[in-house]
Amino acid sequence: MKLILLGAPGSGKGTMAAVLKKEYQITHISTGDIFRANIKEQTPLGIEAKKYIDQGALVPDELTISMVEDRLAQPDCANGYLLDGFPRTIAQAEKLDAMLASKNTKLDAVINVTVPAEVIMERVVNRRVCTSCGESYNVVSRPTKVEGVCDVCGKEVIQRDDDKPETVKQRLVTYEENTKPLIDFYMAKGIVITADNSSSPEVAFQQASEALSEMGFQKVQ
Ligand code: AMP
């Protein structure tokens, strides 16, 4: 199964990805996570990517696409994957289509996670993430048991630099301009599943899994 997750910053894409990964035992590829790992290791890619990420802008297509091409060539992608945060531009989507076509394959579905715009800012600025396992928290609705310490792995929980309000505003503009047009791009192919995350992540996941089931994809027991 080859899936894409779409959604604005703060839509709950990350939470949806974690559940899909667990329930379908699918390889999860988050381009944001790969960039953050490279920034932590101070690789040349990380140093370059940080310039854009810190401003709420997109990392240039050439860098991002070649990084994803390398990742998709790894053995754990042979039976499918869930792309989280890629594509984010029409150019990336077209390149992905070409990559898949050259292997005589195609995407199965695009899950578009939606929430009302007014909820997004609140969610993102209150978000905290574990620096080690990536678990996501919210200081209001889902705080850690001990402040700054991950409930799951015990490592440090922080606010991402790009989750600060000024950067979030720019990320939302970037989303509207570059990424939102992908919904129509994939609608035209008839492969979009809408997962409404305005009430709860459970409801959103239920919608996604029902649609996947109708397409013949079942959860792993
Ligand atoms: P995320 O964790 O998905 O919110 O990604 C964090 C940041 O990484 C984004 O705001 C972008 O600056 C950068 N990024 C992640 N994925 C992409 C992509 N497909 N294309 C360009 N930049 C990306």
Side-chain angles (χ1 to χ4, degrees):
M1 175 165 71
K2 297 184 186 70
L3 295 180
I4 285 181
L5 261 183
L6 283 183
S11 59
K13 222 164 23 90
T15 305
M16 174 69 86
V19 184
L20 286 165
K21 178 183 173 183
K22 178 165 166 262
E23 297 289 346
Y24 293 88
Q25 308 221 332
I26 187 168
T27 298
H28 170 218
I29 301 170
S30 155
T31 41
D33 284 352
I34 303 177
F35 284 133
R36 281 185 287 278
N38 276 275
I39 291 170
K40 207 170 170 184
E41 298 293 321
Q42 300 206 330
T43 67
L45 173 66
I47 291 165
E48 187 61 19
K50 191 174 185 321
K51 295 182 202 161
Y52 300 91
I53 294 175
D54 283 353
Q55 290 174 26
L58 293 179
V59 179
D61 283 339
E62 316 81 74
L63 281 180
T64 308
I65 290 168
S66 71
M67 178 180 90
V68 171
E69 264 182 316
D70 289 349
R71 182 64 188 88
L72 295 184
Q74 302 295 314
D76 64 344
C77 294
N79 294 324
Y81 41 78
L82 167 67
L83 281 170
D84 166 6
F86 182 93
R88 259 176 155 106
T89 63
I90 296 282
Q92 292 178 10
E94 286 172 342
K95 180 66 193 185
L96 178 64
D97 273 356
M99 276 191 255
L100 292 167
S102 74
K103 295 188 172 69
N104 288 318
T105 181
K106 59 183 176 51
L107 290 169
D108 294 297
V110 173
I111 300 176
N112 184 31
V113 185
T114 63
V115 283
E118 59 274 19
V119 177
I120 284 184
M121 187 58 129
E122 182 277 332
R123 279 204 193 168
V124 182
V125 296
N126 289 330
R127 172 163 65 184
R128 300 292 181 271
V129 288
C130 175
T131 49
S132 180
C133 73
E135 186 72 10
S136 190
Y137 298 91
N138 181 296
V139 287
V140 178
S141 59
R142 189 177 176 244
T144 50
K145 292 194 183 96
V146 178
E147 201 185 325
V149 180
C150 180
D151 294 353
V152 177
C153 74
K155 296 280 167 38
E156 191 189 12
V157 168
I158 56 150
Q159 181 175 42
R160 274 167 47 175
D161 280 342
D162 62 345
D163 278 349
K164 310 246 159 88
E166 306 69 38
T167 317
V168 175
K169 277 191 201 133
Q170 185 51 48
R171 285 169 63 203
L172 289 170
V173 171
T174 303
Y175 169 79
E176 289 288 326
E177 284 176 359
N178 298 283
T179 310
K180 210 171 172 191
L182 291 178
I183 300 172
D184 285 342
F185 178 90
Y186 288 119
M187 282 278 186
K189 296 178 190 287
I191 55 170
V192 175
I193 295 171
T194 300
D196 178 358
N197 200 16
S198 50
S199 58
S200 76
E202 290 75 19
V203 171
F205 176 70
Q206 180 72 13
Q207 288 175 357
S209 65
E210 275 169 15
L212 288 173
S213 165
E214 279 165 22
M215 297 169 76
F217 299 110
Q218 308 303 336
K219 291 183 253 179
V220 177
Q221 294 308 314

